[in-house]
Amino acid sequence: MPAINIEDLSEKDKLKMEVEQLRKEVKLERQPVSKCSEEIKNYIEERSGEDPLVKGIPEEKNPFKEKGGCVIS
């Protein structure tokens, strides 16, 4: 889909786009932040044991491990 330059649109077209967007948004199911944040926290805690940023990467599986070094004498 090609990008639309908002400055090139007429005021009427801008308002039509805004109404379209609002119609889409009104159909979305809303949930309280307190419920969503609790679900996100639980999701993260359940998977933290598998997370390489928390657990670390084993040396034998680390693709970024230095293969060799350079010695300057």
Side-chain angles (χ1 to χ4, degrees):
M1 185 150 117
I4 298 172
N5 190 355
I6 300 295
E7 288 83 30
D8 294 341
L9 296 176
S10 69
E11 194 63 30
K12 183 178 177 181
D13 290 334
K14 290 178 189 177
L15 291 172
K16 280 184 182 180
M17 285 179 64
E18 186 175 353
V19 168
E20 255 181 61
Q21 182 62 34
L22 291 171
R23 284 187 177 148
K24 289 177 187 175
E25 289 178 16
V26 79
K27 293 177 186 175
L28 293 175
E29 182 181 339
R30 309 284 179 172
Q31 292 186 3
V33 172
S34 58
K35 182 180 181 223
C36 293
S37 60
E38 187 67 30
E39 289 175 4
I40 291 170
K41 184 183 117 200
N42 291 337
Y43 178 86
I44 291 170
E45 287 176 348
E46 288 171 5
R47 287 158 183 77
S48 66
E50 305 159 12
D51 190 340
L53 295 175
V54 174
K55 185 179 166 187
I57 301 173
E59 285 296 319
E60 62 273 0
K61 292 185 179 182
N62 186 352
F64 303 106
K65 180 175 103 179
E66 289 190 32
K67 310 263 187 289
C70 178
V71 178
I72 299 174
S73 55

